[in-house]
Amino acid sequence: MAKKYVIQGQKILKGEIEINGAKNAALPAICATLLAPGEHKLKRVPRVRDVFCMLKIMKHLGAEVIFENSTLKIDTSKINKYTVPYELASQIRASVLFLGALVGITKEAEVPQPGGCSIGKRPIDLHIKGLELLGSEITLVHGNLIVKNSGLRGCEIVLDFPSVTATENLMMAAALAEGETIIRNCAKEPEVFFLGEMLKKMGVKIKGHGTDTIVIKGKKKLHPVEIEVIPDRIEAGTYMVISALFEENEVVLKNFCVEYLETPILKLKEIGAEFEKVGKKSFIVKKKPPLKNTKIVTAPYPGFPTDLQPIFAVLLTQANGVSIITENLFENRFLYVYELNRMGAKIDVENRTAVITGPTKLVGSPVKATDLRAGAALVIAGLLAENTTTVYEVELIERGYESIVEKLKKVGAEIEVVEGGIEDS
Ligand code: EPZ
């Protein structure tokens, strides 16, 4: 049965929140274990829906999977299938990452072409162009991408756009290609850097990952790896904004990398927050009123991350004056605005721009998550608002936030998981 979150707003939060490993680093890492048969061990893997879904696909392909606490053991020595089933792939767009992982270990693989999602069309033309340049032949048959190759050969690839998963797909395919591959204008996200470090540990000769040019010398045989996933910068950014909701909040965010969050931290300081280092990788974020309006322009890393724009939008409803958010990555990433306006926010959307007039009082209402980060934004709005907010479609939030209800309850939020979704009423 579907679930919903019921939140009593305006509670002061005090205590510690532990940041998990990064979902968007764990997903490509799971696929990369296919590149080397044997027992891999990934540590600090978040227990979120997207990870469980990718592991179902891995098991379908013949992998043996043991996932205890946050340690994931994957044995890929008995992979015997190279077709990703539509029923599983259609649940997660990141299933596109199986393209780059499978193309190097089999002559023919089949991966459903991902559909769009609520935030945009999400094309994969850059993935396909790069894989074809590496020597694969890709055709679309009944909604599935049939990927054939008679041996991949290194080449020079220039991405029209620094797509994160396109970069990751091409890194994995190049890892087993004959010769040298250069990927130019590639994504520089920390999750891409992490995949590069994992491939290096598996025996791939790779350099430049984390910059806009990656050079990979493919190797026929790679070996299994043990590696710890980097902390989740988007989860950390989400809890930073939650900490900054009320002046009296005292929340210690533990074990994350501030260097991955330079732009959002600068923006949060500009709006009205202070950061106090309380440990090697732990910080307290304090609200510094009055909150000031600002401009946010999303961009590929190290620019402001698109995944945090819905989260910051909620805080900006409390800032004095008019704030402007320009969303350059996805064409439809403001669906959450209409739910916030139902709570009393004053946000106008024109194409890729949201104009937020603040401060406005938010009042608890029934609202519906439309995507992962929009759902997180609505939880934050519920923590901020007067009275009771009920958030529906919370399965979307649990795709990327491990134990969000437990973590918030532990620091004093009044939030309950209640059985029953919209269709159950
Ligand atoms: C990754 O998605 C993340 N997902 C997204 O996080 C994140 O929002 C996004 O990068 C941007 O940072 C994972 O890592 C699993 P893109 P991805 O390819 O790779 C265009 C979340 O909430 N494009 O960088 O799909 C595309 O239209 C998710 O955790 C092409 O035109 O993003 C978009 O405008 C949401 N052709 C832009 O690039 C292509 O072949 C960014 O897309 C590929 C992309």
Side-chain angles (χ1 to χ4, degrees):
M1 179 184 261
K3 302 178 292 188
K4 51 189 176 249
Y5 294 162
V6 178
I7 305 167
Q8 305 303 330
Q10 306 203 322
K11 304 297 172 208
I12 300 307
L13 306 180
K14 291 187 188 303
E16 293 188 345
I17 291 181
E18 181 86 26
I19 301 302
N20 289 104
K23 161 180 91 86
N24 289 349
L27 301 182
I30 288 167
C31 295
T33 62
L34 289 165
L35 300 174
E39 275 199 15
H40 300 253
K41 191 188 228 184
L42 303 178
K43 293 186 279 190
R44 200 174 180 181
V45 175
R47 300 188 72 85
V48 293
R49 283 174 176 272
D50 274 6
V51 166
F52 293 122
C53 189
M54 294 291 263
L55 293 179
K56 276 190 208 153
I57 297 173
M58 288 296 287
K59 283 185 216 159
H60 173 87
L61 301 177
E64 280 165 30
V65 171
I66 301 172
F67 193 10
E68 279 163 357
N69 299 325
S70 57
T71 298
L72 176 57
K73 287 184 194 146
I74 302 180
D75 185 342
T76 52
S77 37
K78 299 192 187 76
I79 295 294
N80 56 8
K81 282 207 200 87
Y82 305 97
T83 300
V84 175
Y86 174 75
E87 296 71 12
L88 293 175
S90 55
Q91 295 175 38
I92 178 165
R93 286 193 43 74
S95 52
V96 71
L97 289 164
F98 282 102
L99 273 181
L102 290 171
V103 72
I105 62 169
T106 178
K107 294 276 165 268
E108 181 167 336
E110 199 171 307
V111 178
Q113 162 140 326
C117 72
S118 62
I119 63 175
K121 290 193 301 295
R122 312 294 295 274
I124 59 163
D125 54 306
L126 302 180
H127 301 239
I128 290 176
K129 198 170 102 183
L131 291 172
E132 285 176 340
L133 282 172
L134 282 163
S136 65
E137 199 193 299
I138 302 178
T139 46
L140 181 63
V141 178
H142 304 304
N144 289 331
L145 295 166
I146 315 292
V147 192
K148 290 182 181 162
N149 81 86
S150 45
L152 300 174
R153 279 168 309 288
C155 63
E156 185 156 4
I157 301 166
V158 183
L159 288 176
D160 298 348
F161 181 86
S163 156
V164 174
T165 46
T167 302
E168 291 164 347
N169 256 338
L170 298 176
M171 288 164 75
M172 290 190 279
L176 293 174
E178 180 82 27
E180 180 177 87
T181 298
I182 303 176
I183 310 170
R184 296 192 189 284
N185 191 31
C186 51
K188 299 183 273 193
E189 272 68 3
E191 295 76 27
V192 171
F193 174 75
F194 171 74
L195 179 62
E197 289 298 284
M198 176 177 174
L199 292 175
K200 193 190 279 187
K201 275 190 103 169
M202 291 168 75
V204 179
K205 289 215 171 337
I206 178 170
K207 61 182 193 305
H209 44 294
T211 74
D212 63 5
T213 304
I214 299 176
V215 182
I216 295 174
K217 278 201 178 56
K219 209 159 157 218
K220 273 276 144 282
K221 207 160 161 19
L222 302 176
H223 49 79
V225 72
E226 174 169 334
I227 192 166
E228 178 170 312
V229 175
I230 56 170
D232 193 317
R233 61 195 168 97
I234 305 301
E235 186 195 23
T238 304
Y239 286 113
M240 277 180 194
V241 167
I242 290 173
S243 310
L245 292 180
F246 302 111
E247 233 178 310
E248 308 84 335
N249 281 359
E250 283 271 333
V251 178
V252 179
L253 301 181
K254 293 174 68 77
N255 297 337
F256 66 99
C257 296
V258 275
E259 55 274 17
Y260 293 159
L261 282 152
E262 271 173 10
T263 314
I265 288 175
L266 276 175
K267 200 44 84 176
L268 199 46
K269 285 178 176 172
E270 204 180 293
I271 297 168
E274 268 174 350
F275 284 69
E276 192 196 324
K277 192 175 169 72
V278 291
K280 199 156 147 310
K281 293 178 167 254
S282 302
F283 281 81
I284 286 187
V285 181
K286 291 296 288 176
K287 175 181 181 178
K288 216 161 90 38
L291 296 185
K292 287 189 288 305
N293 61 320
T294 186
K295 274 195 178 139
I296 288 178
V297 179
T298 65
Y301 192 87
F304 191 94
T306 171
D307 293 346
L308 285 178
Q309 67 91 339
I311 310 294
F312 272 64
V314 180
L315 191 64
L316 290 172
T317 65
Q318 304 307 301
N320 293 326
V322 176
S323 299
I324 299 184
I325 296 180
T326 306
E327 171 53 64
N328 290 316
L329 277 295
F330 295 112
E331 59 270 34
N332 195 29
R333 198 162 204 173
F334 289 125
L335 287 178
Y336 64 91
V337 160
Y338 309 107
E339 297 297 279
L340 288 183
N341 286 347
R342 293 182 49 248
M343 296 177 74
K346 197 178 170 345
I347 309 175
D348 295 307
V349 171
E350 191 68 40
N351 295 329
R352 292 197 177 211
T353 303
V355 179
I356 304 172
T357 305
T360 51
K361 188 166 74 148
L362 299 187
V363 180
S365 317
V367 289
K368 191 163 81 166
T370 48
D371 68 80
L372 163 57
R373 309 301 173 183
L378 294 173
V379 168
I380 296 174
L383 295 171
L384 190 60
E386 286 177 357
N387 308 325
T388 307
T389 296
T390 303
V391 183
Y392 289 92
E393 310 293 340
V394 297
E395 289 73 11
L396 289 170
I397 302 170
E398 294 172 354
R399 297 185 56 162
Y401 289 93
E402 180 178 330
S403 314
I404 185 167
V405 171
E406 294 76 5
K407 289 186 178 185
L408 289 173
K409 281 174 90 158
K410 192 169 147 253
V411 294
E414 239 186 81
I415 175 171
E416 294 302 332
V417 182
V418 176
E419 292 281 295
I422 291 177
E423 57 291 335
D424 303 313
S425 29

